[in-house]
Amino acid sequence: MQPVTTEAHAHTVHESHHEELGFWRKYVFSTDHKVIGIQYGITALCFLLFGFGLMMLMRWQMAYPGRPIPLFGPLLEKVLGAVASGGVMSSDLYNSFGAMHGTIMVFLGIVPLAFAAFGNFVVPLQIGAPDMAFPRINMASYQAYVVGGVIMVVSFFIPGGAAQAGWTSYSPLATIIKTQGQTFWIIGMVFLITSSLLGAVNFIATIIQLRAPGMTWMRLPFFVWAQFVTAFILLLAFPPLEAAAVMQLMDKLAGTSFFLPTGLMVSGQPLPISGGGSPLLWQHLFWFLGHPEVYVLILPAMGIVCEIIANNTPKPIWGYKSLVYSALGIGFLSFIVWAHHMYLTGMGTAISTFFQTTTMMISIPSVIILSALLISLWGGSIRFNTPMLFSLAFLPMFGIGGLTGLPLGFNFTDIHLHDTYYVIAHFHYVVAPGTIFALFAGIYFWYPKVTGRLMNEFWGKVHFWLSLLFMNLIFQPMFAQGMAGMLRRMADGGANYSLAKEPGALGALSDSMIHANTAISHAAWLLGLAQIPFILNFFISLKKGRKVPNDNPWESTTLEWQTPTPPPHGNFAKAPVVCRGPYEYSVPGHATDFTPQNEPVNAR
Amino acid sequence: MEIPYTVHARQDTGLYNAKLGIWLFLASEVMLFGALFSTYILLRVGAAPGTWPHGLLNVPIGTLNTIVLITSSITVVMAWASLKMNQFSRFKLFQAFTIMLAMTFVIIKSFEYHDKFTHYEVILNDGKVVDGHLVEKTQEHVVIHPAAKHGQHAAEVKIETSQIKKMENYGPWHNTYLAIYFTLTALHALHVIGGALVIAYLWGPGSQMWKTDPERFTNRIEVSGLFWHFVDLVWIFLFPVLYLL
Amino acid sequence: MKNDQHSHHEISLVVRRYLFVFGALLVGTIVTVLASFIPFGIVAVNVAVALFIATVKAFLVAGYFMHLISEKKMIYGILVATVFFFAGLMFLTVWAMRPASIVHIKNVP
């Protein structure tokens, strides 16, 4: 990023050891947190689009099982061969698309975007630091992410295709499938986990050590707190999955039996293994990461929404302290709830009760955060710009997602709902019109700080309303499908269990439940189309967007808006001195509606 | 604006950045090895009674390796203390010992691994089992030297290939105990090698920094030493768990 | 780290402490090995003894070699949280998978 103002330029001359870097060092092998943040952002958005594309293809198979996919069918057949013969998505292909859709969206899309992209660009600026604590490790973590992503994408093209055993990769299925898709998945995950661990160390060290003078813990923007807790979750929850991945790799390549039980039969033949292992062990180690992971997905989003709501009400956030303590509580509790994903594995009643209790407990801080954000709107003079629309929609959407989690958290209701479309609806509500909306909000909000131009408001609103509509049309019916008993991961959309196939069968899926698939699929494709205005807006605004009138177009209080646009290398000429909290909006008697954090206390 | 606290500690935390960074990384490593230790417990507790192997590992050799690592821990901390006392040549000496002890550890470990890979369990067609080290293997026959029982001398056994139903060495595939043993010790050995490489770099080309920025260099030695101590710590638990219990 | 230990005398005291810890670690190792040969009858006792000695050795390495004993709260906090979560992983997983090994229940499958 070129320094724009003369003040910044003077400073680069001042620091004589900052020579002009060549193209490769400046844009590709950069150690500047802002460049790395943008790199993460662009890469993650590409992966999100790719993962979304996988799902759009799957939805054809669900709506019209056995029919050739228009446009893409012949292409798939050409590239992937027998699994897409005749342009029809086979069950194997459906399974691998399903497994990779989940993997890519979570690990290659949302986490890198929410945590690494937004975190890298914004956090050092918001705390008044010149960069992250370990810039070279920052670069290494992005590179590890790219390597992991490449391995995941390449796995589609190897014989046998990509991993097929769900993003959860349960053993023994994941191990006994003869092809190497799972092997690639495991190795890819090792790189991605390494990337996350390095990033987590960096974020925590940066936030603890590099806060500017006067930036006390309780003056941090909530976004920084959210990223701090997220980093801790990643740091401590990922390693057990890494251990499990290594063990699963050994099961596959070295013939060990970590997760393979004694007497395991495949296709009627006993496997020549030592046995003695346990499939449940994989599940425990996976979900030990898997559950904290969902808080990794939601916390940065809550942070973004908080910043935007404060800015557009414009009022101080209600209950800042409760937000902070709730985030800390979520971080802590998230480590001891994981077996609520495993209620149906035959756990004893005592341990099951323990996990139900902790699961209920963790809903409390989540509700506190949502309530604080909602109450913050009261009495505000709300500015309905695009970031604010997405942030406002986040609240009820996350509310639906969270509340629908409650029946899943109790084991007796989970018996009916586990592994059905109800679960899919629940978590997609939280992640799609939840987190992704917050991420859209963040993109529209911080775009002017990164580029110096504003994205187009009209098309932003079109993007918003269409996305909101179609996301609800996709996921709302799934609650009903799930309660009717439609299971997850069925390549034929449930046709095998339908009344049409077995008239009069008890518990079979009704016509309306099956036909809902078609409506949902259409909504999914329309949602895909609705992203086109966003993609075009994103790129066209780079050149044609309205230029920002000043460095702080949204009139925000936080420190990232007190820098030049875009911020130069080193961010601040010298460390800002923070004198006040993060949300001093509409302070009575103040000349403007916002008071930046580094504005001295006496000057009015 | 330069990144602060790269060399000197921040007042309220008492830490410089790299020290906090390495402790955070070590916390994640505790979880990594912790998951493997938990796996060990679950596999052992879940094994049918009487099936969990004992005595597969050589205790004196394991004890020796433990002493090697503990000694390397003291040499690594003495290396740092030498720098604090401005004695660069003593730092070089102590750190050289650390590297040599690390190599010793890995070499001893590789002998242990080799021993396992040459130890075979041969199941014959008639159901008999011959268990011992491989002396010779040709197309027609194998020769096994069975483990000597207490006080007795065991003669070599020659087995025709046509008599063999299944022949498997004591690799990680042989049983879950060996699976977790190899996984734990191999991961630990990778950490030993990695740590030794970093220490070797800082001993060799990296030590140039002593002339230009001695405080920062001393910090690097402290940080690499902390990692090294962690590697020692893991072994302190690995040794009794795998070798003695 | 601040150069807060300048004088040779202070350093030699610290070095003496290191050597003492080294000796304790060696003794601990020998004791662990010897203790493993003592037939207590119940496996759990052997396990407890071995792990206890290992924990003591760990505290010595962490406290003195890794200077944890003179470190400020920040690091302690991180480590306490880590140990808590590790204990949770270990204990809860064992409880979920093999409740009989923790709770004495008859006829558990």
Side-chain angles (χ1 to χ4, degrees), chain A residues 222-223 226-227 229-230 233 294-304 326-327 330-331 369 435:
Chain A
F222 181 64
F223 178 72
Q227 295 283 10
V229 175
T230 304
I233 294 177
V294 315
Y295 296 101
V296 169
L297 301 176
I298 198 65
L299 279 170
M302 290 169 161
I304 295 174
S326 295
I330 286 178
I369 291 180
T435 296

mmCIF file with all atom_site columns, all heavy atoms in Angstrom, chain A residues 222-223 226-227 229-230 233 294-304 326-327 330-331 369 435:
data_model
loop_
_atom_site.group_PDB
_atom_site.id
_atom_site.type_symbol
_atom_site.label_atom_id
_atom_site.label_alt_id
_atom_site.label_comp_id
_atom_site.label_asym_id
_atom_site.label_entity_id
_atom_site.label_seq_id
_atom_site.pdbx_PDB_ins_code
_atom_site.Cartn_x
_atom_site.Cartn_y
_atom_site.Cartn_z
_atom_site.occupancy
_atom_site.B_iso_or_equiv
_atom_site.pdbx_formal_charge
_atom_site.auth_seq_id
_atom_site.auth_comp_id
_atom_site.auth_asym_id
_atom_site.auth_atom_id
_atom_site.pdbx_PDB_model_num
ATOM 1   N N   . PHE A 1 222 ? -14.528 -3.665  21.705 1.00 0.00 ? 222 PHE A N   1
ATOM 2   C CA  . PHE A 1 222 ? -14.969 -5.033  21.929 1.00 0.00 ? 222 PHE A CA  1
ATOM 3   C C   . PHE A 1 222 ? -14.465 -5.964  20.838 1.00 0.00 ? 222 PHE A C   1
ATOM 4   O O   . PHE A 1 222 ? -14.238 -7.144  21.072 1.00 0.00 ? 222 PHE A O   1
ATOM 5   C CB  . PHE A 1 222 ? -16.495 -5.107  22.027 1.00 0.00 ? 222 PHE A CB  1
ATOM 6   C CG  . PHE A 1 222 ? -16.995 -6.500  22.277 1.00 0.00 ? 222 PHE A CG  1
ATOM 7   C CD1 . PHE A 1 222 ? -16.689 -7.167  23.455 1.00 0.00 ? 222 PHE A CD1 1
ATOM 8   C CD2 . PHE A 1 222 ? -17.744 -7.166  21.321 1.00 0.00 ? 222 PHE A CD2 1
ATOM 9   C CE1 . PHE A 1 222 ? -17.126 -8.464  23.671 1.00 0.00 ? 222 PHE A CE1 1
ATOM 10  C CE2 . PHE A 1 222 ? -18.191 -8.462  21.530 1.00 0.00 ? 222 PHE A CE2 1
ATOM 11  C CZ  . PHE A 1 222 ? -17.879 -9.113  22.704 1.00 0.00 ? 222 PHE A CZ  1
ATOM 12  N N   . PHE A 1 223 ? -14.279 -5.433  19.621 1.00 0.00 ? 223 PHE A N   1
ATOM 13  C CA  . PHE A 1 223 ? -13.748 -6.251  18.530 1.00 0.00 ? 223 PHE A CA  1
ATOM 14  C C   . PHE A 1 223 ? -12.406 -6.859  18.934 1.00 0.00 ? 223 PHE A C   1
ATOM 15  O O   . PHE A 1 223 ? -12.133 -8.021  18.641 1.00 0.00 ? 223 PHE A O   1
ATOM 16  C CB  . PHE A 1 223 ? -13.584 -5.391  17.271 1.00 0.00 ? 223 PHE A CB  1
ATOM 17  C CG  . PHE A 1 223 ? -12.996 -6.131  16.104 1.00 0.00 ? 223 PHE A CG  1
ATOM 18  C CD1 . PHE A 1 223 ? -13.736 -7.086  15.420 1.00 0.00 ? 223 PHE A CD1 1
ATOM 19  C CD2 . PHE A 1 223 ? -11.696 -5.879  15.678 1.00 0.00 ? 223 PHE A CD2 1
ATOM 20  C CE1 . PHE A 1 223 ? -13.200 -7.782  14.348 1.00 0.00 ? 223 PHE A CE1 1
ATOM 21  C CE2 . PHE A 1 223 ? -11.154 -6.564  14.606 1.00 0.00 ? 223 PHE A CE2 1
ATOM 22  C CZ  . PHE A 1 223 ? -11.904 -7.520  13.941 1.00 0.00 ? 223 PHE A CZ  1
ATOM 23  N N   . ALA A 1 226 ? -12.938 -9.660  21.388 1.00 0.00 ? 226 ALA A N   1
ATOM 24  C CA  . ALA A 1 226 ? -13.457 -10.839 20.706 1.00 0.00 ? 226 ALA A CA  1
ATOM 25  C C   . ALA A 1 226 ? -12.330 -11.604 20.018 1.00 0.00 ? 226 ALA A C   1
ATOM 26  O O   . ALA A 1 226 ? -12.240 -12.830 20.101 1.00 0.00 ? 226 ALA A O   1
ATOM 27  C CB  . ALA A 1 226 ? -14.520 -10.432 19.676 1.00 0.00 ? 226 ALA A CB  1
ATOM 28  N N   . GLN A 1 227 ? -11.441 -10.859 19.357 1.00 0.00 ? 227 GLN A N   1
ATOM 29  C CA  . GLN A 1 227 ? -10.331 -11.515 18.675 1.00 0.00 ? 227 GLN A CA  1
ATOM 30  C C   . GLN A 1 227 ? -9.376  -12.152 19.677 1.00 0.00 ? 227 GLN A C   1
ATOM 31  O O   . GLN A 1 227 ? -8.785  -13.200 19.418 1.00 0.00 ? 227 GLN A O   1
ATOM 32  C CB  . GLN A 1 227 ? -9.560  -10.500 17.801 1.00 0.00 ? 227 GLN A CB  1
ATOM 33  C CG  . GLN A 1 227 ? -10.373 -9.935  16.658 1.00 0.00 ? 227 GLN A CG  1
ATOM 34  C CD  . GLN A 1 227 ? -10.521 -10.916 15.490 1.00 0.00 ? 227 GLN A CD  1
ATOM 35  O OE1 . GLN A 1 227 ? -10.165 -12.091 15.594 1.00 0.00 ? 227 GLN A OE1 1
ATOM 36  N NE2 . GLN A 1 227 ? -11.047 -10.447 14.386 1.00 0.00 ? 227 GLN A NE2 1
ATOM 37  N N   . VAL A 1 229 ? -10.116 -13.477 22.682 1.00 0.00 ? 229 VAL A N   1
ATOM 38  C CA  . VAL A 1 229 ? -10.675 -14.744 23.157 1.00 0.00 ? 229 VAL A CA  1
ATOM 39  C C   . VAL A 1 229 ? -10.619 -15.790 22.049 1.00 0.00 ? 229 VAL A C   1
ATOM 40  O O   . VAL A 1 229 ? -10.271 -16.946 22.281 1.00 0.00 ? 229 VAL A O   1
ATOM 41  C CB  . VAL A 1 229 ? -12.125 -14.541 23.643 1.00 0.00 ? 229 VAL A CB  1
ATOM 42  C CG1 . VAL A 1 229 ? -12.747 -15.869 24.029 1.00 0.00 ? 229 VAL A CG1 1
ATOM 43  C CG2 . VAL A 1 229 ? -12.156 -13.586 24.814 1.00 0.00 ? 229 VAL A CG2 1
ATOM 44  N N   . THR A 1 230 ? -10.934 -15.369 20.808 1.00 0.00 ? 230 THR A N   1
ATOM 45  C CA  . THR A 1 230 ? -10.876 -16.286 19.677 1.00 0.00 ? 230 THR A CA  1
ATOM 46  C C   . THR A 1 230 ? -9.483  -16.881 19.541 1.00 0.00 ? 230 THR A C   1
ATOM 47  O O   . THR A 1 230 ? -9.322  -18.082 19.307 1.00 0.00 ? 230 THR A O   1
ATOM 48  C CB  . THR A 1 230 ? -11.252 -15.544 18.379 1.00 0.00 ? 230 THR A CB  1
ATOM 49  O OG1 . THR A 1 230 ? -12.530 -14.948 18.534 1.00 0.00 ? 230 THR A OG1 1
ATOM 50  C CG2 . THR A 1 230 ? -11.263 -16.490 17.194 1.00 0.00 ? 230 THR A CG2 1
ATOM 51  N N   . ILE A 1 233 ? -8.893  -19.549 22.086 1.00 0.00 ? 233 ILE A N   1
ATOM 52  C CA  . ILE A 1 233 ? -9.607  -20.777 21.748 1.00 0.00 ? 233 ILE A CA  1
ATOM 53  C C   . ILE A 1 233 ? -8.813  -21.555 20.699 1.00 0.00 ? 233 ILE A C   1
ATOM 54  O O   . ILE A 1 233 ? -8.578  -22.756 20.827 1.00 0.00 ? 233 ILE A O   1
ATOM 55  C CB  . ILE A 1 233 ? -11.022 -20.459 21.224 1.00 0.00 ? 233 ILE A CB  1
ATOM 56  C CG1 . ILE A 1 233 ? -11.874 -19.843 22.330 1.00 0.00 ? 233 ILE A CG1 1
ATOM 57  C CG2 . ILE A 1 233 ? -11.679 -21.715 20.683 1.00 0.00 ? 233 ILE A CG2 1
ATOM 58  C CD1 . ILE A 1 233 ? -13.263 -19.435 21.865 1.00 0.00 ? 233 ILE A CD1 1
ATOM 59  N N   . VAL A 1 294 ? -16.762 -23.356 16.764 1.00 0.00 ? 294 VAL A N   1
ATOM 60  C CA  . VAL A 1 294 ? -17.938 -22.574 16.382 1.00 0.00 ? 294 VAL A CA  1
ATOM 61  C C   . VAL A 1 294 ? -17.927 -21.226 17.077 1.00 0.00 ? 294 VAL A C   1
ATOM 62  O O   . VAL A 1 294 ? -18.476 -20.243 16.564 1.00 0.00 ? 294 VAL A O   1
ATOM 63  C CB  . VAL A 1 294 ? -19.279 -23.330 16.620 1.00 0.00 ? 294 VAL A CB  1
ATOM 64  C CG1 . VAL A 1 294 ? -19.177 -24.750 16.136 1.00 0.00 ? 294 VAL A CG1 1
ATOM 65  C CG2 . VAL A 1 294 ? -19.751 -23.242 18.037 1.00 0.00 ? 294 VAL A CG2 1
ATOM 66  N N   . TYR A 1 295 ? -17.286 -21.138 18.251 1.00 0.00 ? 295 TYR A N   1
ATOM 67  C CA  . TYR A 1 295 ? -17.158 -19.831 18.893 1.00 0.00 ? 295 TYR A CA  1
ATOM 68  C C   . TYR A 1 295 ? -16.101 -18.994 18.208 1.00 0.00 ? 295 TYR A C   1
ATOM 69  O O   . TYR A 1 295 ? -16.168 -17.769 18.195 1.00 0.00 ? 295 TYR A O   1
ATOM 70  C CB  . TYR A 1 295 ? -16.915 -19.991 20.397 1.00 0.00 ? 295 TYR A CB  1
ATOM 71  C CG  . TYR A 1 295 ? -18.109 -20.624 21.024 1.00 0.00 ? 295 TYR A CG  1
ATOM 72  C CD1 . TYR A 1 295 ? -18.122 -21.967 21.349 1.00 0.00 ? 295 TYR A CD1 1
ATOM 73  C CD2 . TYR A 1 295 ? -19.280 -19.887 21.200 1.00 0.00 ? 295 TYR A CD2 1
ATOM 74  C CE1 . TYR A 1 295 ? -19.265 -22.560 21.840 1.00 0.00 ? 295 TYR A CE1 1
ATOM 75  C CE2 . TYR A 1 295 ? -20.417 -20.478 21.694 1.00 0.00 ? 295 TYR A CE2 1
ATOM 76  C CZ  . TYR A 1 295 ? -20.410 -21.817 22.016 1.00 0.00 ? 295 TYR A CZ  1
ATOM 77  O OH  . TYR A 1 295 ? -21.537 -22.410 22.501 1.00 0.00 ? 295 TYR A OH  1
ATOM 78  N N   . VAL A 1 296 ? -15.112 -19.684 17.593 1.00 0.00 ? 296 VAL A N   1
ATOM 79  C CA  . VAL A 1 296 ? -14.169 -18.973 16.731 1.00 0.00 ? 296 VAL A CA  1
ATOM 80  C C   . VAL A 1 296 ? -14.917 -18.339 15.575 1.00 0.00 ? 296 VAL A C   1
ATOM 81  O O   . VAL A 1 296 ? -14.587 -17.241 15.131 1.00 0.00 ? 296 VAL A O   1
ATOM 82  C CB  . VAL A 1 296 ? -13.099 -19.950 16.202 1.00 0.00 ? 296 VAL A CB  1
ATOM 83  C CG1 . VAL A 1 296 ? -12.271 -19.322 15.105 1.00 0.00 ? 296 VAL A CG1 1
ATOM 84  C CG2 . VAL A 1 296 ? -12.211 -20.405 17.339 1.00 0.00 ? 296 VAL A CG2 1
ATOM 85  N N   . LEU A 1 297 ? -15.963 -19.025 15.091 1.00 0.00 ? 297 LEU A N   1
ATOM 86  C CA  . LEU A 1 297 ? -16.719 -18.509 13.954 1.00 0.00 ? 297 LEU A CA  1
ATOM 87  C C   . LEU A 1 297 ? -17.591 -17.327 14.355 1.00 0.00 ? 297 LEU A C   1
ATOM 88  O O   . LEU A 1 297 ? -17.843 -16.446 13.541 1.00 0.00 ? 297 LEU A O   1
ATOM 89  C CB  . LEU A 1 297 ? -17.592 -19.606 13.348 1.00 0.00 ? 297 LEU A CB  1
ATOM 90  C CG  . LEU A 1 297 ? -16.892 -20.864 12.817 1.00 0.00 ? 297 LEU A CG  1
ATOM 91  C CD1 . LEU A 1 297 ? -17.916 -21.876 12.337 1.00 0.00 ? 297 LEU A CD1 1
ATOM 92  C CD2 . LEU A 1 297 ? -15.942 -20.515 11.696 1.00 0.00 ? 297 LEU A CD2 1
ATOM 93  N N   . ILE A 1 298 ? -18.097 -17.292 15.580 1.00 0.00 ? 298 ILE A N   1
ATOM 94  C CA  . ILE A 1 298 ? -19.082 -16.274 15.937 1.00 0.00 ? 298 ILE A CA  1
ATOM 95  C C   . ILE A 1 298 ? -18.504 -15.062 16.664 1.00 0.00 ? 298 ILE A C   1
ATOM 96  O O   . ILE A 1 298 ? -18.989 -13.950 16.499 1.00 0.00 ? 298 ILE A O   1
ATOM 97  C CB  . ILE A 1 298 ? -20.229 -16.895 16.778 1.00 0.00 ? 298 ILE A CB  1
ATOM 98  C CG1 . ILE A 1 298 ? -21.454 -15.977 16.774 1.00 0.00 ? 298 ILE A CG1 1
ATOM 99  C CG2 . ILE A 1 298 ? -19.821 -17.155 18.206 1.00 0.00 ? 298 ILE A CG2 1
ATOM 100 C CD1 . ILE A 1 298 ? -22.096 -15.796 15.424 1.00 0.00 ? 298 ILE A CD1 1
ATOM 101 N N   . LEU A 1 299 ? -17.447 -15.258 17.459 1.00 0.00 ? 299 LEU A N   1
ATOM 102 C CA  . LEU A 1 299 ? -16.954 -14.137 18.268 1.00 0.00 ? 299 LEU A CA  1
ATOM 103 C C   . LEU A 1 299 ? -16.463 -12.950 17.442 1.00 0.00 ? 299 LEU A C   1
ATOM 104 O O   . LEU A 1 299 ? -16.847 -11.808 17.719 1.00 0.00 ? 299 LEU A O   1
ATOM 105 C CB  . LEU A 1 299 ? -15.867 -14.610 19.233 1.00 0.00 ? 299 LEU A CB  1
ATOM 106 C CG  . LEU A 1 299 ? -16.381 -15.261 20.508 1.00 0.00 ? 299 LEU A CG  1
ATOM 107 C CD1 . LEU A 1 299 ? -15.239 -15.921 21.270 1.00 0.00 ? 299 LEU A CD1 1
ATOM 108 C CD2 . LEU A 1 299 ? -17.060 -14.250 21.414 1.00 0.00 ? 299 LEU A CD2 1
ATOM 109 N N   . PRO A 1 300 ? -15.606 -13.161 16.421 1.00 0.00 ? 300 PRO A N   1
ATOM 110 C CA  . PRO A 1 300 ? -15.205 -11.991 15.626 1.00 0.00 ? 300 PRO A CA  1
ATOM 111 C C   . PRO A 1 300 ? -16.413 -11.290 15.008 1.00 0.00 ? 300 PRO A C   1
ATOM 112 O O   . PRO A 1 300 ? -16.431 -10.063 14.903 1.00 0.00 ? 300 PRO A O   1
ATOM 113 C CB  . PRO A 1 300 ? -14.292 -12.587 14.547 1.00 0.00 ? 300 PRO A CB  1
ATOM 114 C CG  . PRO A 1 300 ? -13.806 -13.865 15.123 1.00 0.00 ? 300 PRO A CG  1
ATOM 115 C CD  . PRO A 1 300 ? -14.933 -14.389 15.947 1.00 0.00 ? 300 PRO A CD  1
ATOM 116 N N   . ALA A 1 301 ? -17.413 -12.073 14.611 1.00 0.00 ? 301 ALA A N   1
ATOM 117 C CA  . ALA A 1 301 ? -18.616 -11.477 14.022 1.00 0.00 ? 301 ALA A CA  1
ATOM 118 C C   . ALA A 1 301 ? -19.313 -10.574 15.030 1.00 0.00 ? 301 ALA A C   1
ATOM 119 O O   . ALA A 1 301 ? -19.735 -9.458  14.711 1.00 0.00 ? 301 ALA A O   1
ATOM 120 C CB  . ALA A 1 301 ? -19.564 -12.573 13.547 1.00 0.00 ? 301 ALA A CB  1
ATOM 121 N N   . MET A 1 302 ? -19.432 -11.045 16.271 1.00 0.00 ? 302 MET A N   1
ATOM 122 C CA  . MET A 1 302 ? -20.053 -10.214 17.309 1.00 0.00 ? 302 MET A CA  1
ATOM 123 C C   . MET A 1 302 ? -19.247 -8.943  17.503 1.00 0.00 ? 302 MET A C   1
ATOM 124 O O   . MET A 1 302 ? -19.795 -7.862  17.717 1.00 0.00 ? 302 MET A O   1
ATOM 125 C CB  . MET A 1 302 ? -20.131 -10.989 18.622 1.00 0.00 ? 302 MET A CB  1
ATOM 126 C CG  . MET A 1 302 ? -21.131 -12.124 18.607 1.00 0.00 ? 302 MET A CG  1
ATOM 127 S SD  . MET A 1 302 ? -20.927 -13.146 20.067 1.00 0.00 ? 302 MET A SD  1
ATOM 128 C CE  . MET A 1 302 ? -22.503 -13.971 20.106 1.00 0.00 ? 302 MET A CE  1
ATOM 129 N N   . GLY A 1 303 ? -17.934 -9.085  17.424 1.00 0.00 ? 303 GLY A N   1
ATOM 130 C CA  . GLY A 1 303 ? -17.073 -7.913  17.572 1.00 0.00 ? 303 GLY A CA  1
ATOM 131 C C   . GLY A 1 303 ? -17.330 -6.883  16.492 1.00 0.00 ? 303 GLY A C   1
ATOM 132 O O   . GLY A 1 303 ? -17.451 -5.678  16.764 1.00 0.00 ? 303 GLY A O   1
ATOM 133 N N   . ILE A 1 304 ? -17.427 -7.353  15.256 1.00 0.00 ? 304 ILE A N   1
ATOM 134 C CA  . ILE A 1 304 ? -17.672 -6.439  14.140 1.00 0.00 ? 304 ILE A CA  1
ATOM 135 C C   . ILE A 1 304 ? -19.006 -5.731  14.310 1.00 0.00 ? 304 ILE A C   1
ATOM 136 O O   . ILE A 1 304 ? -19.120 -4.504  14.168 1.00 0.00 ? 304 ILE A O   1
ATOM 137 C CB  . ILE A 1 304 ? -17.640 -7.194  12.798 1.00 0.00 ? 304 ILE A CB  1
ATOM 138 C CG1 . ILE A 1 304 ? -16.241 -7.749  12.533 1.00 0.00 ? 304 ILE A CG1 1
ATOM 139 C CG2 . ILE A 1 304 ? -18.074 -6.280  11.657 1.00 0.00 ? 304 ILE A CG2 1
ATOM 140 C CD1 . ILE A 1 304 ? -16.163 -8.632  11.317 1.00 0.00 ? 304 ILE A CD1 1
ATOM 141 N N   . SER A 1 326 ? -18.760 -11.754 29.236 1.00 0.00 ? 326 SER A N   1
ATOM 142 C CA  . SER A 1 326 ? -19.448 -12.823 28.514 1.00 0.00 ? 326 SER A CA  1
ATOM 143 C C   . SER A 1 326 ? -18.533 -13.463 27.493 1.00 0.00 ? 326 SER A C   1
ATOM 144 O O   . SER A 1 326 ? -18.508 -14.690 27.343 1.00 0.00 ? 326 SER A O   1
ATOM 145 C CB  . SER A 1 326 ? -20.690 -12.280 27.798 1.00 0.00 ? 326 SER A CB  1
ATOM 146 O OG  . SER A 1 326 ? -21.620 -11.826 28.732 1.00 0.00 ? 326 SER A OG  1
ATOM 147 N N   . ALA A 1 327 ? -17.759 -12.641 26.785 1.00 0.00 ? 327 ALA A N   1
ATOM 148 C CA  . ALA A 1 327 ? -16.826 -13.213 25.809 1.00 0.00 ? 327 ALA A CA  1
ATOM 149 C C   . ALA A 1 327 ? -15.826 -14.125 26.506 1.00 0.00 ? 327 ALA A C   1
ATOM 150 O O   . ALA A 1 327 ? -15.526 -15.226 26.034 1.00 0.00 ? 327 ALA A O   1
ATOM 151 C CB  . ALA A 1 327 ? -16.107 -12.097 25.055 1.00 0.00 ? 327 ALA A CB  1
ATOM 152 N N   . ILE A 1 330 ? -17.628 -17.301 27.483 1.00 0.00 ? 330 ILE A N   1
ATOM 153 C CA  . ILE A 1 330 ? -17.820 -18.185 26.334 1.00 0.00 ? 330 ILE A CA  1
ATOM 154 C C   . ILE A 1 330 ? -16.524 -18.916 26.025 1.00 0.00 ? 330 ILE A C   1
ATOM 155 O O   . ILE A 1 330 ? -16.512 -20.132 25.804 1.00 0.00 ? 330 ILE A O   1
ATOM 156 C CB  . ILE A 1 330 ? -18.283 -17.380 25.103 1.00 0.00 ? 330 ILE A CB  1
ATOM 157 C CG1 . ILE A 1 330 ? -19.738 -16.964 25.264 1.00 0.00 ? 330 ILE A CG1 1
ATOM 158 C CG2 . ILE A 1 330 ? -18.110 -18.183 23.822 1.00 0.00 ? 330 ILE A CG2 1
ATOM 159 C CD1 . ILE A 1 330 ? -20.260 -16.121 24.126 1.00 0.00 ? 330 ILE A CD1 1
ATOM 160 N N   . GLY A 1 331 ? -15.419 -18.161 26.015 1.00 0.00 ? 331 GLY A N   1
ATOM 161 C CA  . GLY A 1 331 ? -14.128 -18.783 25.710 1.00 0.00 ? 331 GLY A CA  1
ATOM 162 C C   . GLY A 1 331 ? -13.829 -19.921 26.659 1.00 0.00 ? 331 GLY A C   1
ATOM 163 O O   . GLY A 1 331 ? -13.433 -21.013 26.248 1.00 0.00 ? 331 GLY A O   1
ATOM 164 N N   . ILE A 1 369 ? -24.646 -11.198 25.365 1.00 0.00 ? 369 ILE A N   1
ATOM 165 C CA  . ILE A 1 369 ? -24.042 -10.402 24.298 1.00 0.00 ? 369 ILE A CA  1
ATOM 166 C C   . ILE A 1 369 ? -25.109 -9.906  23.339 1.00 0.00 ? 369 ILE A C   1
ATOM 167 O O   . ILE A 1 369 ? -25.156 -8.720  22.965 1.00 0.00 ? 369 ILE A O   1
ATOM 168 C CB  . ILE A 1 369 ? -22.974 -11.217 23.543 1.00 0.00 ? 369 ILE A CB  1
ATOM 169 C CG1 . ILE A 1 369 ? -21.775 -11.457 24.456 1.00 0.00 ? 369 ILE A CG1 1
ATOM 170 C CG2 . ILE A 1 369 ? -22.540 -10.502 22.273 1.00 0.00 ? 369 ILE A CG2 1
ATOM 171 C CD1 . ILE A 1 369 ? -20.657 -12.249 23.832 1.00 0.00 ? 369 ILE A CD1 1
ATOM 172 N N   . THR A 1 435 ? -22.830 -15.051 11.053 1.00 0.00 ? 435 THR A N   1
ATOM 173 C CA  . THR A 1 435 ? -21.443 -14.621 10.860 1.00 0.00 ? 435 THR A CA  1
ATOM 174 C C   . THR A 1 435 ? -21.207 -13.975 9.509  1.00 0.00 ? 435 THR A C   1
ATOM 175 O O   . THR A 1 435 ? -20.602 -12.899 9.423  1.00 0.00 ? 435 THR A O   1
ATOM 176 C CB  . THR A 1 435 ? -20.490 -15.804 11.031 1.00 0.00 ? 435 THR A CB  1
ATOM 177 O OG1 . THR A 1 435 ? -20.575 -16.263 12.368 1.00 0.00 ? 435 THR A OG1 1
ATOM 178 C CG2 . THR A 1 435 ? -19.056 -15.398 10.747 1.00 0.00 ? 435 THR A CG2 1
#
